[in-house]
Short mmCIF file of all heavy atoms in Angstrom, two decimals:
data_model
loop_
_atom_site.label_atom_id
_atom_site.label_comp_id
_atom_site.label_asym_id
_atom_site.label_seq_id
_atom_site.Cartn_x
_atom_site.Cartn_y
_atom_site.Cartn_z
N GLU Q 55 -36.83 -16.92 -44.25
CA GLU Q 55 -38.32 -17.10 -44.11
C GLU Q 55 -39.10 -16.03 -44.72
O GLU Q 55 -40.28 -16.11 -44.74
CB GLU Q 55 -38.58 -17.35 -42.65
CG GLU Q 55 -38.27 -16.17 -41.66
CD GLU Q 55 -38.42 -16.54 -40.31
OE1 GLU Q 55 -37.84 -17.54 -39.78
OE2 GLU Q 55 -39.12 -15.64 -39.51
N SER Q 56 -38.42 -14.79 -45.05
CA SER Q 56 -39.16 -13.67 -45.57
C SER Q 56 -38.22 -12.79 -46.34
O SER Q 56 -37.04 -12.88 -46.16
CB SER Q 56 -39.92 -12.85 -44.51
OG SER Q 56 -38.96 -12.32 -43.69
N LYS Q 57 -38.74 -11.83 -47.07
CA LYS Q 57 -38.03 -10.75 -47.69
C LYS Q 57 -37.26 -9.96 -46.72
O LYS Q 57 -36.09 -9.61 -46.95
CB LYS Q 57 -38.99 -9.99 -48.64
CG LYS Q 57 -38.29 -8.80 -49.23
CD LYS Q 57 -39.23 -8.07 -50.18
CE LYS Q 57 -39.97 -6.97 -49.46
NZ LYS Q 57 -40.79 -6.09 -50.45
N ASN Q 58 -37.88 -9.65 -45.55
CA ASN Q 58 -37.20 -8.89 -44.61
C ASN Q 58 -35.99 -9.55 -44.02
O ASN Q 58 -35.07 -8.91 -43.58
CB ASN Q 58 -38.19 -8.50 -43.48
CG ASN Q 58 -39.10 -7.33 -43.88
OD1 ASN Q 58 -38.85 -6.59 -44.86
ND2 ASN Q 58 -40.30 -7.17 -43.19
N LYS Q 59 -36.11 -10.83 -43.85
CA LYS Q 59 -34.96 -11.65 -43.27
C LYS Q 59 -33.77 -11.64 -44.25
O LYS Q 59 -32.69 -11.62 -43.88
CB LYS Q 59 -35.42 -13.12 -42.98
CG LYS Q 59 -36.39 -13.18 -41.83
CD LYS Q 59 -35.78 -12.82 -40.51
CE LYS Q 59 -36.77 -12.99 -39.39
NZ LYS Q 59 -36.30 -12.33 -38.17
N ILE Q 60 -34.10 -11.57 -45.55
CA ILE Q 60 -33.07 -11.42 -46.58
C ILE Q 60 -32.41 -10.04 -46.39
O ILE Q 60 -31.18 -9.95 -46.41
CB ILE Q 60 -33.65 -11.61 -48.09
CG1 ILE Q 60 -34.14 -13.04 -48.24
CG2 ILE Q 60 -32.53 -11.23 -49.03
CD1 ILE Q 60 -34.88 -13.21 -49.50
N LEU Q 61 -33.20 -9.07 -46.22
CA LEU Q 61 -32.64 -7.63 -46.09
C LEU Q 61 -31.82 -7.63 -44.78
O LEU Q 61 -30.69 -7.06 -44.79
CB LEU Q 61 -33.75 -6.59 -46.11
CG LEU Q 61 -34.46 -6.41 -47.42
CD1 LEU Q 61 -35.68 -5.59 -47.27
CD2 LEU Q 61 -33.50 -5.85 -48.51
N LEU Q 62 -32.31 -8.26 -43.72
CA LEU Q 62 -31.60 -8.19 -42.48
C LEU Q 62 -30.26 -8.97 -42.65
O LEU Q 62 -29.30 -8.50 -42.10
CB LEU Q 62 -32.46 -8.88 -41.43
CG LEU Q 62 -32.10 -8.62 -40.01
CD1 LEU Q 62 -32.20 -7.16 -39.57
CD2 LEU Q 62 -33.09 -9.46 -39.01
N GLY Q 63 -30.33 -10.09 -43.26
CA GLY Q 63 -29.16 -10.84 -43.58
C GLY Q 63 -28.10 -10.11 -44.25
O GLY Q 63 -26.85 -10.04 -44.02
N LEU Q 64 -28.58 -9.23 -45.33
CA LEU Q 64 -27.69 -8.32 -46.13
C LEU Q 64 -26.97 -7.37 -45.19
O LEU Q 64 -25.72 -7.14 -45.39
CB LEU Q 64 -28.52 -7.59 -47.11
CG LEU Q 64 -28.66 -8.16 -48.55
CD1 LEU Q 64 -29.61 -7.35 -49.27
CD2 LEU Q 64 -27.32 -8.19 -49.16
N ILE Q 65 -27.75 -6.71 -44.37
CA ILE Q 65 -27.14 -5.69 -43.42
C ILE Q 65 -26.15 -6.28 -42.57
O ILE Q 65 -25.03 -5.79 -42.40
CB ILE Q 65 -28.25 -5.00 -42.70
CG1 ILE Q 65 -29.17 -4.21 -43.59
CG2 ILE Q 65 -27.63 -3.95 -41.76
CD1 ILE Q 65 -30.37 -3.71 -42.93
N ASN Q 66 -26.44 -7.50 -41.99
CA ASN Q 66 -25.50 -8.25 -41.08
C ASN Q 66 -24.27 -8.65 -41.83
O ASN Q 66 -23.13 -8.53 -41.33
CB ASN Q 66 -26.25 -9.41 -40.47
CG ASN Q 66 -27.27 -9.03 -39.47
OD1 ASN Q 66 -27.15 -7.95 -38.86
ND2 ASN Q 66 -28.31 -9.88 -39.27
N TYR Q 67 -24.42 -9.18 -43.05
CA TYR Q 67 -23.29 -9.54 -43.88
C TYR Q 67 -22.45 -8.37 -44.14
O TYR Q 67 -21.16 -8.46 -44.06
CB TYR Q 67 -23.85 -10.18 -45.16
CG TYR Q 67 -22.80 -10.80 -46.02
CD1 TYR Q 67 -22.15 -12.01 -45.72
CD2 TYR Q 67 -22.42 -10.21 -47.26
CE1 TYR Q 67 -21.14 -12.57 -46.51
CE2 TYR Q 67 -21.44 -10.76 -48.10
CZ TYR Q 67 -20.87 -11.91 -47.70
OH TYR Q 67 -19.84 -12.46 -48.44
N PHE Q 68 -22.90 -7.22 -44.54
CA PHE Q 68 -22.11 -6.06 -44.90
C PHE Q 68 -21.42 -5.57 -43.48
O PHE Q 68 -20.32 -5.18 -43.56
CB PHE Q 68 -23.06 -4.92 -45.42
CG PHE Q 68 -22.33 -3.73 -45.87
CD1 PHE Q 68 -21.44 -3.79 -47.01
CD2 PHE Q 68 -22.38 -2.53 -45.15
CE1 PHE Q 68 -20.75 -2.79 -47.38
CE2 PHE Q 68 -21.56 -1.49 -45.56
CZ PHE Q 68 -20.82 -1.61 -46.66
N MET Q 69 -22.20 -5.60 -42.41
CA MET Q 69 -21.59 -5.13 -41.13
C MET Q 69 -20.39 -6.02 -40.77
O MET Q 69 -19.41 -5.54 -40.33
CB MET Q 69 -22.58 -5.21 -40.03
CG MET Q 69 -23.41 -4.04 -39.91
SD MET Q 69 -24.71 -4.13 -38.55
CE MET Q 69 -23.67 -4.00 -37.10
N LEU Q 70 -20.52 -7.37 -41.00
CA LEU Q 70 -19.39 -8.21 -40.59
C LEU Q 70 -18.14 -7.94 -41.50
O LEU Q 70 -17.05 -7.81 -41.01
CB LEU Q 70 -19.77 -9.68 -40.85
CG LEU Q 70 -20.75 -10.33 -39.78
CD1 LEU Q 70 -21.31 -11.67 -40.35
CD2 LEU Q 70 -20.02 -10.48 -38.51
N ASP Q 71 -18.38 -7.75 -42.81
CA ASP Q 71 -17.27 -7.39 -43.74
C ASP Q 71 -16.68 -6.06 -43.34
O ASP Q 71 -15.45 -5.88 -43.23
CB ASP Q 71 -17.86 -7.28 -45.13
CG ASP Q 71 -16.81 -6.77 -46.06
OD1 ASP Q 71 -15.85 -7.43 -46.25
OD2 ASP Q 71 -17.01 -5.65 -46.67
#
Side-chain angles (χ1 to χ4, degrees):
E55 63 189 54
S56 68
K57 176 173 89 170
N58 283 343
K59 292 295 181 194
I60 295 171
L61 292 170
L62 196 60
L64 264 173
I65 297 167
N66 288 334
Y67 185 70
F68 185 71
M69 273 179 75
L70 287 168
D71 174 64

